[in-house]
Structures are given as structure tokens and as C-alpha cells.
Amino acid sequence: MFPITLSSNSIYLGLLIFMISLVSFSQSNLTSDEAFKQYQAITKSMEESFPEDAFKTYRRDSFSEQQLQAYLSQHFQRLDLLPLIKDQHAFKMHSYLHSGNWFREIGFPKESIKWYRAFFDYYNTHEQDLTPEEKEELIEMVTYAYSIQADNYAKTGELESAATMHKKNIAFIKEVNIILNPSAYNNYGLFFYWNKKELDSALIYFNKAYSLTKANFPNHTLLGSIRDNIADIYIEQGRPKLARPLYRENFDLYRKTKNEKSNQFDLPRLISAGSQLVETELKLNLLDIAEQSFQELEKIMHDPNFKNIISSKSQIEFLNAKETLLIAQNNYEAAYKVATNKNRIKDSLNAISKIADSKWQDELNTISLDRVALNFKIDRIEKENKIQNQRSKLWIVSLTSSSVLILMVSLFLRRRQYVINAKNKQLLAEQKLELTAVKNKQLKSEIESKQRDLSDFAINLTHNQEWARELADKIKGIKEANTKEQKKLLAQLEQDIINKTTVDVDTKDFYERLDKLSDSFYSELTSQFPNLSKNEVRLCSLIRLKMDSRSIATLQNITLASLNTSRYRLRKKLNLQEDVDLDDFIQNL
């Protein structure tokens, strides 16, 4: 089996796809249902080539370049969606556990630790939210996760953390009468045997696991695994007599018993048990018996049903046993040939494993670093967008404030000029009393005409205010769009603003005409109620035009609630009783 090799262009393409997917998710605001649907769609796409329950999905040599890139990209997309999905606790736990399993099986224990931690954190946080049925279904998942997480810690040299996981597993499964109960003790024994080299401690837990399995699951193949572990310790302790019957039991067991899960003969264990049996019998100088055992093993190796599925590791074990037997028979020439063949297979496996481990570790480190760099870039872009949005808001506020200030100054100057003109008109009126009737008639006609004009202006200004709200919505859309779309939308917005620049002129003309036509009304109003503010005088004038409250609020750029408050204060300043209607009062002034 040859290692997977990824070209730099292919890796770049895969990471580009991955980064694009991350950006899209970071900028989206998905609901829980939308996130769940996207998760299901991605899973469906992944399972077309690599189903989660398929053995090949957990073998790193099953993936081609493009398949690996696509699977990693989609895998991380799904993980980014999980926090957005509400409830569905059992489903999310399965997802975190699958990630831990996958990274472990393809040889990345540190990444596997990360997602097993996510599994345990979520389980501890939401255990109380699970139904009794869900808790029952999760028992095997939890104990399996404890066991694998312990193995991950051991592989990364964190032995104390590994021991803690084994202890938690034993405590968790202690009261549950399933095969995983003795399996937990067996795994703890392997920890002492493989990682701490404490044979006596390992033997204690192996014997505990063996007694539990023998009592509760006498026909389970776990007995073979435990027997093999105990026999290995006896060999290391120099007690081959105790190991031999255990290897023989296993050799007989695996020849006639299929694995409970796969329903297939466990060929690697069968060959291993046979090889260990031959070597142990040779250590005891049982040459004839060893030859008989080897013939049984050799028959299995040449069985047409098994010949094409025997792994390289099993071949090496068989060749070890054969070499040892030939040396015991003083057939050194044949033993040398066997040793040469065995070493060739070993060297090939070691070289392939070393290249694959280095390649895949580099790839995962590159992907992890790119994820960190991309997250930083996304944060920077979001901050820049936020600053740009604030600048846009400041620009709009400044423009609006300047327009209002200019309008107020203009109104003040015009009001001042109006007062001067009023005095002059008063002098002229005293001199030309005979023309008063004619002028009053003309003025009334003009007022009626201007009132109609003002109504038209009011409607136009109302529409303009609605356009301003649409403008705000467009700005919001620009903020939420990506960079490419922003340029297009900004160009459209600029054109809209240019097309609407006449709104300031219309507003200015409206208030000029309003003040001009309401001069006599202003005079009457201020003479009777000198404590009224300019805004209150203007409000009275707008009410006198018989405009509805919504239009007045729109023109003054305030809410209906604020307008009602202004009307209430105006009533108090006008000293109106509760039964007097404000609109009728102003119309009759």
C-alpha cells in the first residue's frame, strides 16, 4: 500500500475551498433549522464516496488527493455548523464523537483529543437534557470515548491524563453488565503494560477483566484478547509454561469463532496466536510439538480463502515463527532466506509508514495554521467593515446636521427679514387704507393657492422621508454584503443619492412658504401665547394646514409617540381644557 501524496497546487485548491466555506459561514446568520439542513446536505455529499459506517473512511490510504481535500473541507464545514444547531443533543454528540474517531484512525491523536474533549464537554453540559432512552443508547459511546481518549493521551505522552480517563471509564461502566465493563479493565491493564511497563499492575487488571468476561460472557472473543495479554506478560516474565496453554486456547478459539461485530474470522489474531504458540513451544524445547503447530499455522497461511487478505504485519509474525523453527532445526540457510524476506517487508512497511505519517502531519498542521490565519483575517475584515460602517454613519449624520443647521440659519435670517418687512407693511397699510380690502381679497386667494401647493409639498416630503428609510435599508444591505457586491451596491446608492438631491431644495422651499403664508397666524399666536417655542409655533401651523399626525411626524423626522408628547405639551402651554380639541382650537384662531 503506497502513501498518499498531495501536490502544492492541490493543497492550495483544497484550502481555498475551505477558506471560502469558512468566510461564508462566518458572515451568515443561520437559524438552527437552516444550519441543520446544511449539515445534512453536506453529510449526504460526503457519504456518497465515504459513508461514516464504512471501514475505508477510517483508513488514510483510502483517499485520493481530491477526495481528501473535499472530505476535510466538508468535515470542517459541518463542525462549524454544530454550534448553530439548537437542541438535538444526541445528534451533536454523535457528530463530535465521529470527528474524534476519524482523526484518531487516520493518525492524528492531538486533533482527535480536541474533538473528544468537545464530546465530553457537551455530554457533561447536556446530560440532564437527554431522555432515558438516549442515555441508554449513549452508554457504549461514552465508555468507548473514555477508552480512546485515554489511548490518545498515551500516544502524546500525557500519561497522567490517560490514567484519569481509564479510571473515569471504569467508574462509569462499573454498574453496567455489558462486555464493555471487562473491556475497560483490560484497556487499563494495557495502559500499564504498554505505556508504563508495570507488568504486575497490568496483570492485576487483565485477571480482573478475564474473571468478569469468563463469568458473564464466556463465549465472547474478548476472552482471547485478554488471554493473549496475560500470555505476553508471562513471556516477558520468563514463564513460558504458563503462556503456552493460553496461546493454544486462543489458536483454537480464533479458528472456530467469528468476531461478534464483523461476523468474520479474526485472521490477524489467529495468525498471531499460532505464531506465538510455535515460538513459545520452541522456548520450551518442544520441537516436535512446535513443528505440528507450525504445520497447522502454515495450512492457514496457504488457505485460498485467506491468502489474498493476510496483512503484512501477519506475514511478518508468521515469518518470525518460521525463522525461529528453522534455526531450532539447524536449517540456517533456509532461516536466512526467511529472515531476508521478513526484513524486506519490514523495511517497506517502515518506510511507507514514516513517509505517510510525516506527510499527513504536515498537511494537518498546514490546515490548522490556515484555519487560525483565516479566522484572524475574518476578524480583521469584520473590524474594518465595522469602522467603515461607522464612518458612513458619521458622514450621513454630519451631512444631515449641516443641512439642518443651514436650514435653521436660513429660517432665522428670513424670519428677521420678515419682521422688518412686516413693520414696513404696517406703515404702508396706515397710508393706504383704501387698498386694504382689495389686498385682503387677493391675499386670501393666494393663501388658498399656496395651501394647495403646501399640501403637495407635504406629500412630496413624506415620500422623501420614506425614501430615506429605504436608503437606510440599502446601507444595511451594503454592510451585510461581501466585498464584491458592496462596490456594486455603493455605486447604485451613489446614483440614488444624486437623483434625490432635490429633496433639500424642496424642504427649504416648503418651510419658506409655510413661514411666509403663516405670518399673520404666527403674529396672532405669539401675541396670545408668547411662551411658545419656535417648534411649537411651527407645529401649530402644520395643524392649521389640517395635516394628519403621521405626515407631521414624518416631516419633523420624529415618531408618532414623540409627536403626541409635543401635542400634549402644546395643550398645556395653550391652557386648553380636556374637552377642548387642539385641532379645532388652532383652526379657530
Side-chain angles (χ1 to χ4, degrees):
M1 197 69 68
F2 293 96
I4 296 173
T5 58
L6 301 180
S7 65
S8 59
N9 289 338
S10 298
I11 293 176
Y12 176 78
L13 177 60
L15 291 177
L16 181 61
I17 296 172
F18 171 53
M19 288 188 290
I20 291 173
S21 65
L22 271 182
V23 171
S24 65
F25 279 119
S26 67
Q27 292 181 344
S28 63
N29 186 20
L30 299 176
T31 65
S32 176
D33 290 340
E34 290 171 341
F36 182 64
K37 288 179 180 178
Q38 283 198 15
Y39 187 101
Q40 289 179 314
I42 295 171
T43 299
K44 184 178 179 181
S45 175
M46 294 171 69
E47 290 193 341
E48 289 179 359
S49 301
F50 295 97
E52 289 190 3
D53 57 353
F55 178 72
K56 69 172 185 177
T57 303
Y58 299 88
R59 292 179 59 87
R60 57 186 174 184
D61 53 5
S62 301
F63 294 84
S64 67
E65 296 179 16
Q66 293 181 345
Q67 288 170 335
L68 173 63
Q69 294 161 18
Y71 195 89
L72 281 172
S73 175
Q74 292 171 323
H75 190 83
F76 282 120
Q77 286 180 42
R78 294 198 313 177
L79 291 173
D80 290 336
L81 285 168
L82 282 179
L84 303 176
I85 300 174
K86 306 302 181 184
D87 302 324
Q88 304 206 43
H89 307 298
F91 160 76
K92 295 177 74 172
M93 290 179 200
H94 278 280
S95 299
Y96 286 126
L97 188 61
H98 167 70
S99 295
N101 292 343
W102 188 75
F103 281 111
R104 172 183 178 271
E105 291 300 325
I106 63 173
F108 302 119
K110 288 187 178 181
E111 193 72 10
S112 178
I113 286 172
K114 174 182 176 181
W115 296 109
Y116 274 117
R117 281 178 179 168
F119 168 78
F120 282 118
D121 289 344
Y122 197 88
Y123 178 81
N124 294 330
T125 302
H126 297 282
E127 182 181 5
Q128 70 277 4
D129 300 324
L130 299 172
T131 65
E133 293 77 12
E134 289 175 332
K135 289 183 180 179
E136 179 102 9
E137 292 176 358
L138 282 170
I139 288 176
E140 290 191 15
M141 288 178 58
V142 174
T143 186
Y144 177 80
Y146 275 127
S147 178
I148 301 305
Q149 186 72 315
D151 185 56
N152 284 335
Y153 281 128
K155 286 181 179 179
T156 57
E158 302 176 65
L159 298 185
E160 291 301 320
S161 297
T164 300
M165 287 292 106
H166 281 300
K167 292 174 183 177
K168 287 184 177 181
N169 189 20
I170 291 173
F172 175 80
I173 203 69
K174 190 173 184 180
E175 303 301 326
V176 184
N177 187 27
I178 59 177
I179 193 63
L180 293 174
N181 188 340
S183 179
Y185 287 97
N186 182 56
N187 291 334
Y188 200 20
L190 289 172
F191 169 73
F192 283 108
Y193 181 27
W194 289 342
N195 303 111
K196 304 198 77 173
K197 307 302 179 184
E198 297 178 11
L199 302 185
D200 291 334
S201 297
L203 197 57
I204 291 172
Y205 284 98
F206 288 150
N207 286 328
K208 175 67 173 177
Y210 190 78
S211 62
L212 287 172
T213 309
K214 194 76 173 176
N216 301 312
F217 312 96
N219 299 317
H220 202 283
T221 54
L222 179 62
L223 282 172
S225 298
I226 301 171
R227 270 198 299 262
D228 185 61
N229 296 334
I230 295 172
D232 289 346
I233 288 181
Y234 286 154
I235 291 295
E236 290 199 33
Q237 290 177 336
R239 298 190 286 176
K241 284 186 179 181
L242 296 176
R244 179 177 174 267
L246 297 176
Y247 287 137
R248 168 51 71 179
E249 281 190 79
N250 276 0
F251 193 38
D252 294 336
L253 171 69
Y254 291 125
R255 279 192 293 179
K256 63 183 180 181
T257 305
K258 293 182 179 181
N259 183 272
E260 289 79 8
K261 291 185 178 180
S262 66
N263 196 31
Q264 300 290 330
F265 288 108
D266 196 336
L267 192 58
R269 289 186 181 274
L270 173 59
I271 296 172
S272 179
S275 301
Q276 289 170 316
L277 175 61
V278 171
E279 292 176 359
T280 303
E281 288 171 342
L282 291 173
K283 286 180 181 179
L284 295 170
N285 296 317
L286 303 173
L287 183 57
D288 293 338
I289 297 176
E291 288 178 355
Q292 293 176 7
S293 298
F294 181 77
Q295 288 174 3
E296 295 178 50
L297 177 60
E298 192 172 33
K299 185 178 179 181
I300 293 170
M301 294 295 293
H302 293 102
D303 188 328
N305 296 321
F306 300 146
K307 189 173 182 180
N308 295 325
I309 60 174
I310 296 175
S311 67
S312 298
K313 181 180 177 182
S314 295
Q315 289 178 2
I316 292 173
E317 288 185 290
F318 170 74
L319 293 175
N320 271 331
K322 186 175 182 179
E323 180 187 6
T324 305
L325 177 61
L326 290 170
I327 291 173
Q329 294 172 338
N330 298 321
N331 190 351
Y332 296 108
E333 184 178 353
Y336 176 75
K337 291 180 179 180
V338 171
T340 301
N341 187 28
K342 178 187 70 176
N343 290 333
R344 179 183 58 80
I345 297 174
K346 277 185 176 180
D347 292 343
S348 177
L349 285 177
N350 290 336
I352 290 173
S353 177
K354 185 176 181 181
I355 293 172
D357 288 344
S358 175
K359 192 71 175 179
W360 277 66
Q361 193 62 52
D362 290 344
E363 289 161 7
L364 182 66
N365 290 339
T366 300
I367 291 169
S368 299
L369 289 174
D370 285 339
R371 281 175 64 85
V372 173
L374 180 62
N375 288 334
F376 175 78
K377 184 176 181 181
I378 291 171
D379 290 339
R380 180 174 58 80
I381 291 173
E382 289 178 347
K383 289 179 181 178
E384 290 176 355
N385 287 339
K386 188 178 291 185
I387 293 173
Q388 185 63 34
N389 293 337
Q390 290 174 348
R391 288 176 179 172
S392 298
K393 289 181 180 179
L394 181 61
W395 181 81
I396 293 173
V397 170
S398 300
L399 181 62
T400 304
S401 301
S402 300
S403 300
V404 171
L405 181 62
I406 292 171
L407 179 62
M408 292 179 65
V409 171
S410 175
L411 289 174
F412 172 76
L413 294 176
R414 289 183 178 278
R415 178 64 178 175
R416 180 180 178 185
Q417 185 62 41
Y418 172 78
V419 172
I420 294 173
N421 293 338
K423 290 181 179 179
N424 292 333
K425 287 181 180 180
Q426 184 176 5
L427 293 175
L428 292 173
E430 292 175 353
Q431 297 173 3
K432 300 178 180 180
L433 292 175
E434 65 278 5
L435 299 177
T436 299
V438 175
K439 288 184 177 181
N440 284 342
K441 185 176 181 180
Q442 292 177 345
L443 182 61
K444 182 178 179 181
S445 176
E446 183 180 353
I447 288 175
E448 290 176 352
S449 176
K450 298 305 179 182
Q451 282 180 339
R452 288 192 298 269
D453 292 340
L454 283 176
S455 297
D456 292 338
F457 272 108
I459 293 172
N460 289 333
L461 287 176
T462 302
H463 290 164
N464 289 339
Q465 294 294 336
E466 292 175 352
W467 177 84
R469 285 192 289 271
E470 292 176 358
L471 181 63
D473 291 337
K474 290 180 180 179
I475 294 174
K476 181 178 178 183
I478 292 173
K479 291 189 288 181
E480 295 177 348
N482 56 41
T483 305
K484 183 176 180 180
E485 287 294 323
Q486 280 183 350
K487 292 181 180 180
K488 181 178 178 181
L489 293 174
L490 282 172
Q492 294 175 355
L493 179 62
E494 181 180 7
Q495 186 60 44
D496 290 343
I497 293 175
I498 292 173
N499 294 337
K500 296 296 293 184
T501 51
T502 55
V503 72
D504 290 337
V505 176
D506 291 340
T507 304
K508 178 180 177 181
D509 289 342
F510 171 78
Y511 283 114
E512 288 176 358
R513 298 185 184 192
L514 176 66
D515 292 340
K516 183 177 180 180
L517 293 174
S518 302
D519 181 69
S520 59
F521 172 73
Y522 283 178
S523 300
E524 180 66 23
L525 188 64
T526 53
S527 65
Q528 294 187 35
F529 306 99
N531 62 335
L532 294 179
S533 66
K534 290 183 178 180
N535 286 337
E536 288 167 341
V537 171
R538 181 175 294 160
L539 176 60
C540 291
S541 182
L542 293 173
I543 293 173
R544 189 165 177 265
L545 290 175
K546 296 183 180 181
M547 296 179 62
D548 59 85
S549 296
R550 184 174 300 276
S551 298
I552 294 175
T554 303
L555 284 171
Q556 293 192 332
N557 198 23
I558 60 175
T559 63
L560 284 174
S562 299
L563 177 62
N564 290 334
T565 301
S566 300
R567 289 173 64 94
Y568 174 77
R569 291 174 181 168
L570 179 61
R571 287 181 62 89
K572 296 200 68 170
K573 287 190 176 183
L574 296 177
N575 298 320
L576 298 182
Q577 300 295 325
E578 291 182 359
D579 58 343
V580 178
D581 183 79
L582 174 63
D583 291 13
D584 292 341
F585 177 81
I586 292 174
Q587 295 294 335
N588 294 326
L589 278 177

